[in-house]
Amino acid sequence: MVGALMLSAASRAEDCGSGVKLTLSAPEAAQGTLLLAQVRSTKPLGEVSGRWNDRDVPFWQEQAKEHSEPRADLRKALLGVDLEKAAGKYAFTVAVKLQGGEGVGCQAMVEVKEGHFATENLTVKKQFVEPNPEQEARAEAEMKRLREIYDHVTPDRLWDGPFRMPLDGEFKGSNFGKRRVLNGHPGSPHGGVDFPAPTGTPVHAAQKGRVVLAEELYFSGNTVLVDHGLGIYTFYCHFSEINAKVGDEVIAGTVLGKVGATGRVTGPHLHWGLEVEHARVNALELLKVLGGN
Ligand SMILES: [Zn+2]
């Protein structure tokens, strides 16, 4: 009964009028996941914009080969559900300009569900739980810098094709969203996926983009941050060494650095993070939603 209701909701397209339809990949999403929004039109479109989570959501245009009618228009956007977004119903609104100036709009409702994350007790070096004032000031300045980077939405889509795993071989990612207790103190939830791997294992860029940060940070150690455009950033850290520099144009597979144990860690691993319009999302969702390998 419930399953049948959900199925019909998932396949429902919102009719925006004038031959424009909006669909979401699912009518509900757990904390820390991604949704794919699609706007289809029987006629070519002008500007398409979305609003989600109090932020503008940029759309990209798919090439004509990906849909059948040559004069039709298909736009896509990613909606990130932050790992701490409160459960409840939220509207995703879309404004579409038709060629010729007419505007239409519509909205789709998204039900955000609790993510059911585990809680874990960890023991780390004291300096990472009770940093001295100097260390605390440094960590705060770095957080501010990262927020400023994430505030910038590069208007072009820099990636092209499916996203890939950052490690070659059989490495299992886990720990996303875990609520952590560090040396007995409740910490912030874990915003990335951890891949335990031997020190020195090469770490690859998940897709095309531009390196916007490549340096040692207090908590994340040796860190590389890649801007993929449209507000999408992937974050790789705890490297033993960094093999990229700010401004590098990378492609899927470019080596960014080597697995290590720098920063706040309990052992060598890759921490892989994803931000989509400031929402902290499980990076493995990129492979799921955009058809990775
Ligand atoms: Zn981690």
Side-chain angles (χ1 to χ4, degrees):
M1 182 81 171
V2 172
L5 282 172
M6 277 169 56
L7 199 69
S8 65
S11 55
R12 191 181 68 209
E14 306 294 334
D15 191 352
C16 312
S18 297
V20 178
K21 288 194 162 49
L22 164 67
T23 51
L24 291 180
S25 51
E28 56 177 47
Q31 292 168 326
T33 65
L34 280 180
L35 287 170
L36 182 68
Q38 302 196 46
V39 169
R40 286 171 191 279
S41 167
T42 51
K43 288 171 281 196
L45 299 175
E47 199 187 326
V48 177
S49 58
R51 191 90 183 147
W52 168 250
N53 207 23
D54 296 325
R55 289 186 182 272
D56 292 328
V57 177
F59 277 80
W60 73 91
Q61 186 171 30
E62 287 292 352
Q63 295 307 306
K65 62 179 167 54
E66 295 193 29
H67 50 101
S68 46
E69 305 128 73
R71 290 189 65 249
D73 200 330
L74 174 60
R75 309 291 178 99
K76 293 182 180 179
L78 288 176
L79 307 186
V81 180
D82 186 80
L83 84 167
E84 292 189 285
K85 190 170 178 70
K89 282 207 166 193
Y90 298 91
F92 171 55
T93 58
V94 169
V96 179
K97 276 253 166 24
L98 302 170
Q99 282 192 351
E102 186 198 348
V104 297
C106 56
Q107 68 173 40
M109 295 305 293
V110 177
E111 177 146 25
V112 173
K113 304 263 194 189
E114 300 257 358
H116 302 297
F117 303 113
T119 298
E120 167 180 58
N121 288 285
L122 289 175
T123 305
V124 297
K125 283 187 192 153
K126 195 172 169 229
Q127 74 196 68
F128 293 118
V129 180
E130 297 165 63
N132 67 36
E134 196 185 315
Q135 291 163 333
E136 203 170 316
R138 178 185 166 191
E140 266 175 32
E142 290 172 353
M143 291 289 277
K144 184 166 171 274
R145 257 184 71 211
L146 285 173
R147 274 199 304 273
E148 283 166 3
I149 292 174
Y150 293 136
D151 272 338
H152 177 76
V153 177
T154 299
D156 303 313
R157 177 171 66 123
L158 304 180
W159 87 86
D160 180 19
F163 280 71
R164 55 158 285 164
M165 295 283 275
L167 300 180
D168 284 331
E170 294 298 306
F171 291 104
K172 281 252 176 316
S174 63
N175 288 345
F176 178 79
K178 259 192 181 165
R179 274 48 179 169
R180 296 167 304 177
V181 180
L182 302 167
N183 304 0
H185 301 263
S188 51
H190 185 251
V193 189
D194 288 336
F195 297 85
T199 295
T201 305
V203 179
H204 306 270
Q207 243 298 342
K208 261 190 192 172
R210 188 177 301 125
V211 174
V212 289
L213 183 142
E215 64 181 74
E216 196 227 336
L217 301 180
Y218 187 67
F219 285 118
S220 56
N222 290 324
T223 302
V224 173
L225 181 55
V226 178
D227 177 7
H228 299 288
L230 305 184
I232 295 164
Y233 291 88
T234 52
F235 182 95
Y236 313 75
C237 70
H238 306 313
F239 288 176
S240 56
E241 65 175 67
I242 294 175
N243 303 128
K245 59 185 191 311
V246 170
D248 283 358
E249 307 277 346
V250 298
I251 59 168
T254 300
V255 173
L256 302 173
K258 309 285 192 312
V259 169
T262 54
R264 187 177 65 189
V265 295
T266 54
H269 70 282
L270 167 67
H271 171 110
W272 188 29
L274 167 66
E275 292 240 355
V276 176
E277 311 295 346
H278 274 271
R280 296 159 297 167
V281 175
N282 187 335
L284 296 170
E285 288 282 307
L286 275 176
L287 280 67
K288 215 161 94 183
V289 172
L290 293 178
N293 53 3

